[in-house]
Amino acid sequence: MINKRPTFWLTFLVLAAACCLLVVLGATPDVAASSKKTKNPPKPPARVFPDGTPWVPVDQVAALKRAHEPVPPLVMDVLIESPMERQLRLNGKAPSLKDAPYRYMVLDSPILKHKDDPFDDLYGPVRFMHLKHAAEVHDCLVCHHYRPKAEHASETTRCSACHQQPFNPAVPGRLGLKAAYHQKCIECHKKRERGPVDCKGCHEKRVPDHSKLVKLPDHPEPITVTRECLRCHDREATNMLTSAHWLWHGPSPYTVGHEDQFVLGKGTNTINNFCIAVKSNWPRCTSCHAGYGWKDADFDFSDKTRMDCLICHDTTGNYYKAPPAAGMPFPQIDLKPIAEHVGKPSRKTCGDCHFQGGGGDAVKHGDMNSVLYYPTRNCDVHMGGMDFQCHECHKTRNHKISGRSLSVPVAEGSRSCEDCHGDKPHKYHSGKGHEDHNLLNHHLNEHSQHIYCQTCHSPVYAKCKPTKVWWDWSKAGDKKRKAKKDKYGMPDYVWKKGEFRWVESAKPAYAWYNGRVKRVIIGQKVDPARGVIRLTEPVGAIWDRKSRIFPFKIMRGKQMYDPENGYLIVPHLFGPDGYWKTLDWQKSFEIGMQAAGLPYSGQYSWVETAMYWGLNHETMPAENALGCAQCHPALNGEQTCNRCHKDTRHLDFKRLAHRGTDFAAMKAKGRDVGALIGQTDYLNFKALGYKGDPIVYGGRFTTIPLGGSVKAQNTSQ
Amino acid sequence: MELSRRGFFKVMGASGAALAATPGKAKATWKSKAPPDAYGCLVDLGRCIGCRKCELACNKVNGLPEPEKPFDDVTVFNQRRRPDDKAFTVVNRYYTGRTDERNQPKPTFVKVQCMHCQDPACASACITGALHKNENGAVTWNPAKCIGCRYCMVACPFQIPAYEYSNPITPRVRKCTFCFDRISEEGGTPGCAAICPVEAITFGRRSELLKLAHQRIKRDPVNYVQHVYGEKEVGGTSWLYISQVPFEKIDSYNMPTRQIPKLTETIQHTIFSYLWAPITLFGILGGAMWTLNRQQITGKSGPGKEKEDRS
Ligand code: SF4
Ligand code: SF4
Ligand code: SF4
């Protein structure tokens, strides 16, 4: 795109001159030296499905289509009756969940739009979980409070049939649609002390058009852009000063032994088994820092002009940081049009860093990669089905972004599936021909006390792109060794880094997890003689009521260890004296450990480490979650639900128990899940501490009511 | 306790009477000029959630300057505000002693703007007719006629008109326009009423709104004060209020039900008939006003002047 601009060459010359100047001044030798050979910035991801067809978030599009349907004529005559009168009239035939035609809606009726109003566009439409509300309130008539007088009309006529434009003299006192929504929602949320009552709790606030507000010269310097942002947004920048994305450290409330500290973080003292640690490798690692020029230990974290606002607020898709340039953007990019189109973060802005963790696409996270820019519904139901942006779940306040993980200790607030879906997430959504779901939903909701949602709803990780699961640094340095490609086309070797293994659509490791994490930090004594060193590890146990089963990617590898001092080593990798230039480990360790502020004995060895990574994204649609029989061997024989439930009228127990993740269909689509087809005991009950299938042996706190006789029944048949 | 305002009008009445040679005659000839089918707005304080969107809309539709604090900043509620030349409407918060289910103080939010009196004192005080009660109910200001005497500011019983002191070249008298242009259009609504997310502001014909107001308070006698503010106050206003807390607890002045112009015009006509310089009237009105304001500031004047905020 940039190449098309007529001013490109002029720009290039100016920037090239600027770079030269930098070199001359010696301001940022690493940065300047590397920018000499920087390539062109990448192109923004194409809005297409993997097969090249245009990307459509199906559920969102369907919901919007319904919302934008032509407005029906206003219902003039309403049947006004008290709830009691209505119940009597309905005589037990009140509408119920099975009458709810739509799970998900977007409240965006054309009635709410008044193009002439200068305040029409303040807030975006509201995502509305219709079925969830119906199930929670358990009475359709709470919202569908009156009905039209006309007899043929539905008992649950849509809101906009009666509530349209406000102040209609033909129906004095009738609320308009906007007020009807707001009054009902707010009143009920207040009464139940559940659900948001503030504007931003339901709506996305729209960012005003900045093209007239931003005043910048052509081809501004990054810091000039930030200064311009600060002209109006000093308060935001002040909030940013204490944020994890700026400091790379922060509160660690879930890390055992560090609960009330504000020091842990990748900028300070965490260590991993990918590129090990940030210290001494700043310009490379900090190319994902929301700032400009963190190239050494002297970076000034109080200087707001060093913040990079565009990395999160770009909406053009054209803003890219140059990989080893300490957070500086590609010099070719003209920042003016980008600054003029700032807005809310998106999957693109978050993903540009978070999909690329570990130095490449899908390397670190088992559940996040470039596929999520425009995923299919099956890849991630929220992002692919409903076009969720990251910050819609990771609610942000004062530039503190909620969410937590195992890989990094910093948590500025926690998010869980239950925040939106409730602790009984399986709705009694029967509908005609699905009467059996009530039975299933009851049991699934019981499961929520023992397993996290992710366990069933993310049955495989790296579903759409291979992720790295093994990294052996001890093998690095062999420039002659040729990399072999594995079955996914991924290399098994890079001389700078060592040996790799990758997996795709892999079964997670399952463990009990109560939300707390054990973590090794830089300088902490570890003993390889006691087995593989676990850099991060979930805390939990089968007997702990707060623990539930959670799926993990386990990253394994070999890394450097100082046997004299008994701790892991921080290597210096990047830069003129780094290992990637010198191939000299001793020198690399000396410099790295000096930067980490720790003595290095001069001795080193290679030790095996493991790191648990939580799997929270790539959520499967409900119909593709793990099914009963896929985990419970006891349901794979002759008997299924009829082990306990004797009444089989209307219910096809077999069908019910054998629904679940369709691995065969996934395989047909090219996913590497052949080994998972037809599996049972998917989670491995024994490994989790059960005696065996809880249906036979009992749960962790209870036994199945008919448990004792189950075995006998089975054998006698 | 409710004496301050009434006291003021008594003073005025007295001075008027003292000045008037033929007061009885003037009184007898006074006639309400209230338009028969005026628009109005019914502000339901029981609905208002204090979101300040009406302030924002008013700012936008009137092209007013950006405020110091953004419209989603609720810290402005820590002070009692008045409409001024940069904000034609403001929302104030009152804690009147009500509590919610969790025993937390329950706020009442009150939107303040020009009441668009049926017989506006401001218009009648205006010697050039720059302020005018329109057929549709809006009391508007005409820059071509205004000579900057600011009588309107003194005359308004609600202290609404504001003067652009910061603009020495072309200072304007500013106040809520009832969105005259917008409501003159077919189906048009005032900006504040259009944006209000909960329809705390209902726009319509005043006669209809009165019915609606009485209906609403009658249907919910447990919560609503059985009074429609603006139905009778100062002879009736286009903007009406219903509330769940007593009006005297939310700074609404206990207004006389007489039309103020009946009084002021009497004074004025009397003065003019004696060819007194307007400055004298200004002096008298201003003097009385000043006394009143002092009383309010020092908190001497009775009801509902709860200046402290328990937030
Ligand atoms: S409230 Fe004041 S400014 Fe408004 S119409 Fe009445 S007298 Fe005039
Ligand atoms: S009617 Fe118009 S001018 Fe008056 S407060 Fe409402 S928006 Fe402002
Ligand atoms: S917009 Fe409506 S609810 Fe919000 S403060 Fe104004 S009157 Fe109250």
Side-chain angles (χ1 to χ4, degrees):
Chain A
M1 279 190 76
I2 280 165
N3 289 345
K4 284 189 204 132
R5 290 175 195 283
T7 49
F8 169 68
W9 287 109
L10 184 68
T11 321
F12 185 74
L13 282 177
V14 170
L15 287 164
C19 286
C20 292
L21 197 68
L22 272 178
V23 177
V24 172
L25 292 173
T28 48
D30 278 351
V31 180
S34 51
S35 70
K36 258 191 287 180
K37 49 178 181 179
T38 33
K39 291 177 241 128
N40 278 331
K43 291 238 166 7
R47 231 182 129 88
V48 291
F49 281 127
D51 66 359
T53 53
W55 182 74
V56 189
V58 275
D59 302 306
Q60 187 69 3
V61 167
L64 279 170
K65 201 171 143 220
R66 280 199 303 276
H68 297 160
E69 271 168 15
V71 180
L74 179 71
V75 170
M76 301 300 289
D77 297 315
V78 176
L79 189 63
I80 305 285
E81 48 190 353
S82 71
M84 185 63 87
E85 287 165 344
R86 196 170 182 192
Q87 290 297 349
L88 284 172
R89 175 173 58 75
L90 289 168
N91 191 15
K93 293 208 185 70
S96 70
L97 277 185
K98 67 178 182 297
D99 301 303
Y102 307 116
R103 278 189 102 86
Y104 172 67
M105 290 179 180
V106 177
L107 308 183
D108 192 33
S109 168
I111 295 170
L112 303 166
K113 297 258 149 43
H114 294 277
K115 285 281 163 287
D116 301 335
D117 283 344
F119 41 79
D120 177 52
D121 230 18
L122 283 177
Y123 291 94
V126 171
R127 299 179 186 276
F128 179 58
M129 300 164 80
H130 180 234
L131 187 71
K132 180 213 169 175
H133 280 80
E136 297 271 315
V137 176
H138 225 84
D139 180 1
C140 307
L141 305 182
V142 168
C143 294
H144 297 273
H145 54 149
Y146 295 128
R147 56 156 294 153
K149 256 199 188 125
E151 254 171 45
H152 60 84
S154 156
E155 203 64 40
T156 51
T157 302
R158 66 195 291 173
C159 311
S160 59
C162 299
H163 297 282
Q164 299 188 348
Q165 296 305 337
F167 322 132
N168 183 348
V171 278
R174 178 92 61 88
L175 290 177
L177 183 60
K178 180 167 71 176
Y181 281 151
H182 283 103
Q183 281 199 14
K184 264 271 173 286
C185 300
I186 296 173
E187 178 199 303
C188 202
H189 288 183
K190 273 192 181 154
K191 201 159 87 193
R192 290 164 190 262
E193 287 185 45
R194 279 192 76 175
V197 291
D198 59 325
C199 311
K200 286 193 272 185
C202 298
H203 296 269
E204 173 102 348
K205 198 174 173 193
R206 291 224 164 100
V207 176
D209 179 2
H210 274 63
S211 57
K212 300 255 152 39
L213 304 170
V214 169
K215 307 252 178 312
L216 280 171
D218 286 338
H219 304 288
E221 287 295 318
I223 286 170
T224 314
V225 176
T226 305
R227 285 218 175 90
E228 175 61 7
C229 301
L230 287 171
R231 193 163 57 82
C232 299
H233 295 289
D234 190 65
R235 192 172 62 160
E236 282 73 14
T238 306
N239 287 331
M240 185 72 193
L241 280 178
T242 47
S243 75
H245 278 75
W246 172 246
L247 294 173
W248 280 15
H249 68 84
S252 47
Y254 308 111
T255 299
V256 175
H258 301 275
E259 286 87 348
D260 40 17
Q261 295 176 357
F262 194 94
V263 285
L264 262 56
K266 62 167 78 186
T268 48
N269 54 9
T270 57
I271 191 162
N272 64 46
N273 53 7
F274 293 86
C275 290
I276 315 295
V278 174
K279 283 196 170 151
S280 81
N281 301 306
W282 289 283
R284 182 69 188 81
C285 303
T286 60
S287 64
C288 258
H289 177 235
Y292 296 127
W294 182 2
K295 62 184 167 55
D296 52 34
D298 297 332
F299 185 71
D300 182 0
F301 286 99
S302 65
D303 184 355
K304 295 177 196 168
T305 65
R306 289 274 159 181
M307 285 176 185
D308 181 354
C309 311
L310 302 179
I311 189 63
C312 300
H313 293 287
D314 168 39
T315 62
T316 66
N318 294 323
Y319 184 79
Y320 281 98
K321 283 171 174 277
M328 301 306 273
F330 280 94
Q332 301 95 310
I333 298 174
D334 182 4
L335 303 180
K336 190 178 179 207
I338 292 171
E340 286 173 346
H341 293 92
V342 284
K344 293 264 172 190
S346 61
R347 293 197 299 275
K348 163 74 172 58
T349 56
C350 301
D352 280 352
C353 286
H354 291 275
F355 297 165
Q356 306 284 333
D361 191 6
V363 169
K364 260 185 178 170
H365 290 278
D367 58 341
M368 281 197 280
N369 52 58
S370 63
V371 173
L372 293 183
Y373 287 132
Y374 297 109
T376 60
R377 180 176 191 272
N378 208 42
C379 183
D380 185 293
V381 71
H382 298 110
M383 302 184 224
M386 285 168 278
D387 196 10
F388 265 79
Q389 305 299 329
C390 309
H391 66 273
E392 291 187 70
C393 289
H394 295 274
K395 289 264 184 238
T396 301
R397 226 190 175 95
N398 302 330
H399 277 80
K400 313 289 187 299
I401 303 173
S402 64
R404 61 207 253 196
S405 69
L406 276 86
S407 54
V408 288
V410 183
E412 297 174 326
S414 172
R415 289 303 281 172
S416 72
C417 310
E418 287 90 338
D419 290 348
C420 290
H421 294 279
D423 53 3
K424 290 196 171 50
H426 304 93
K427 304 308 173 204
Y428 295 79
H429 183 241
S430 310
K432 290 261 165 338
H434 292 279
E435 285 80 3
D436 46 5
H437 286 197
N438 281 347
L439 177 65
L440 180 60
N441 285 332
H442 167 78
H443 285 281
L444 291 178
N445 283 340
E446 294 282 303
H447 276 67
S448 316
Q449 297 170 24
H450 309 287
I451 51 183
Y452 283 88
C453 309
Q454 291 91 324
T455 303
C456 293
H457 290 270
S458 294
V460 292
Y461 69 98
K463 191 162 53 177
C464 311
K465 199 150 220 158
T467 187
K468 205 176 269 187
V469 290
W470 173 259
W471 183 328
D472 182 352
W473 278 98
S474 71
K475 303 270 170 55
D478 184 356
K479 280 193 172 180
K480 285 197 210 85
R481 178 169 160 182
K482 277 240 156 52
K484 278 203 231 55
K485 293 255 164 106
D486 66 7
K487 56 181 165 176
Y488 314 115
M490 304 307 290
D492 72 338
Y493 189 74
V494 171
W495 66 263
K496 278 180 172 182
K497 300 180 177 180
E499 211 171 75
F500 308 138
R501 269 203 307 273
W502 304 78
V503 297
E504 184 242 90
S505 295
K507 180 156 127 181
Y510 295 99
W512 293 102
Y513 178 39
N514 62 16
R516 304 180 68 225
V517 184
K518 274 197 234 156
R519 187 182 306 282
V520 172
I521 58 171
I522 294 176
Q524 185 176 324
K525 299 261 188 224
V526 286
D527 185 2
R530 299 169 74 180
V532 176
I533 297 159
R534 298 183 168 200
L535 299 183
T536 63
E537 186 184 7
V539 177
I542 188 167
W543 44 261
D544 171 14
R545 277 189 191 270
K546 284 198 192 123
S547 294
R548 293 184 282 161
I549 301 166
F550 192 88
F552 299 95
K553 162 190 167 172
I554 303 181
M555 173 67 190
R556 297 176 185 280
K558 280 193 181 163
Q559 66 197 92
M560 31 310 241
Y561 174 73
D562 181 338
E564 298 272 300
N565 288 311
Y567 43 58
L568 294 162
I569 296 174
V570 174
H572 176 46
L573 301 167
F574 178 81
D577 47 1
Y579 177 77
W580 290 339
K581 280 266 149 51
T582 63
L583 284 188
D584 180 348
W585 276 132
Q586 279 298 6
K587 209 166 150 213
S588 157
F589 298 159
E590 275 159 24
I591 300 172
M593 289 307 268
Q594 199 184 359
L598 287 169
Y600 169 51
S601 67
Q603 304 286 314
Y604 70 87
S605 64
W606 302 101
V607 295
E608 196 175 332
T609 58
M611 205 178 168
Y612 280 72
W613 288 69
L615 300 170
N616 291 298
H617 306 92
E618 290 193 345
T619 311
M620 285 263 201
E623 64 272 15
N624 228 341
L626 282 179
C628 316
Q630 282 172 314
C631 287
H632 293 284
L635 300 176
N636 281 282
E638 264 312 298
Q639 285 192 311
T640 51
C641 315
N642 54 346
R643 284 171 166 277
C644 301
H645 297 272
K646 294 303 168 203
D647 183 356
T648 58
R649 281 173 297 170
H650 320 300
L651 297 178
D652 183 349
F653 286 150
K654 270 250 150 73
R655 191 179 71 91
L656 205 57
H658 285 269
R659 293 161 74 247
T661 314
D662 192 346
F663 289 119
M666 285 176 74
K667 182 164 183 257
K669 285 196 182 134
R671 306 266 71 101
D672 186 21
V673 291
L676 304 176
I677 302 173
Q679 261 202 17
T680 186
D681 198 11
Y682 198 84
L683 307 187
N684 194 346
F685 286 120
K686 286 209 172 123
L688 285 164
Y690 289 97
K691 274 203 214 115
D693 186 347
I695 291 185
V696 178
Y697 294 93
R700 51 179 180 149
F701 304 121
T702 50
T703 46
I704 297 280
L706 302 177
S709 59
V710 166
K711 241 181 168 173
Q713 273 179 20
N714 239 2
T715 44
S716 67
Q717 273 173 3
Chain B
M1 280 305 276
E2 48 171 66
L3 278 181
S4 71
R5 274 281 162 173
R6 210 162 263 178
F8 161 61
F9 289 106
K10 270 193 193 138
V11 170
M12 290 308 306
S15 22
L19 287 163
T22 50
K25 205 166 133 199
K27 251 181 208 165
T29 51
W30 191 88
K31 247 189 120 153
S32 168
K33 294 191 266 307
D37 198 18
Y39 280 123
C41 277
L42 170 61
V43 183
D44 187 339
L45 302 182
R47 285 185 181 178
C48 177
I49 53 171
C51 67
R52 298 187 66 213
K53 290 288 176 290
C54 46
E55 292 187 38
L56 181 150
C58 184
N59 175 284
K60 292 275 179 282
V61 297
N62 291 299
L64 300 176
E66 277 286 309
E68 224 167 88
K69 285 185 179 172
F71 288 108
D72 48 13
D73 188 338
V74 291
T75 60
V76 298
F77 288 133
N78 294 339
Q79 265 129 34
R80 197 63 33 85
R81 296 175 303 150
R82 294 287 307 163
D84 58 26
D85 55 322
K86 293 181 188 69
F88 299 169
T89 185
V90 292
V91 180
N92 282 321
R93 183 184 60 196
Y94 296 83
Y95 286 111
T96 57
R98 289 199 300 170
T99 50
D100 65 11
E101 296 81 4
R102 275 153 284 156
N103 217 19
Q104 296 298 307
K106 197 168 159 182
T108 302
F109 297 98
V110 184
K111 178 186 186 296
V112 188
Q113 75 298 307
C114 168
M115 298 291 286
H116 298 276
C117 310
Q118 288 288 71
D119 283 298
C122 58
S124 97
C126 181
I127 48 178
T128 64
L131 278 153
H132 171 63
K133 176 83 177 173
N134 294 274
E135 270 308 291
N136 65 8
V139 176
T140 50
W141 172 79
N142 183 345
K145 287 190 179 168
C146 181
I147 53 165
C149 72
R150 282 164 277 155
Y151 283 4
C152 51
M153 296 170 63
V154 186
C156 171
F158 302 96
Q159 303 169 44
I160 291 296
Y163 196 66
E164 285 181 317
Y165 289 105
S166 53
N167 177 358
I169 320 268
T170 53
R172 292 171 292 179
V173 172
R174 311 296 320 260
K175 68 169 199 66
C176 159
T177 62
F178 202 167
C179 286
F180 180 78
D181 293 336
R182 286 172 63 101
I183 65 169
S184 300
E185 270 169 36
E186 178 68 31
T189 53
C192 53
I195 203 173
C196 178
V198 290
E199 263 177 54
I201 311 163
T202 309
F203 170 73
R205 296 284 171 195
R206 184 172 184 269
S207 49
E208 277 297 325
L209 295 178
L210 270 174
K211 274 191 234 156
L212 210 61
H214 280 289
Q215 221 176 58
R216 267 194 226 161
I217 58 176
K218 218 158 78 206
R219 276 211 196 125
D220 192 0
V222 176
N223 286 315
Y224 278 90
V225 174
Q226 295 300 306
H227 181 75
V228 179
Y229 188 88
E231 181 177 18
K232 302 235 169 64
E233 279 74 8
V234 298
T237 56
S238 280
W239 280 60
L240 307 166
Y241 283 71
I242 53 175
S243 167
Q244 302 190 341
V245 298
F247 283 101
E248 55 270 20
K249 287 201 172 181
I250 46 173
D251 268 1
S252 52
Y253 308 119
N254 225 324
M255 288 295 161
T257 49
R258 284 174 295 168
Q259 293 87 343
I260 307 258
K262 209 164 158 179
L263 180 71
T264 48
E265 272 169 34
T266 310
I267 307 167
Q268 250 186 40
H269 294 167
T270 317
I271 296 165
F272 288 130
S273 63
Y274 277 86
L275 296 175
W276 283 44
I279 189 73
T280 319
L281 172 69
F282 192 72
I284 296 168
L285 290 169
M289 222 49 209
W290 182 84
T291 323
L292 174 79
N293 281 344
R294 290 276 340 139
Q295 282 177 350
Q296 280 178 355
I297 290 161
T298 50
K300 259 191 266 163
S301 74
K305 301 297 179 288
E306 297 185 9
K307 295 292 179 199
E308 96 281 14
D309 235 336
R310 263 168 274 149
S311 60

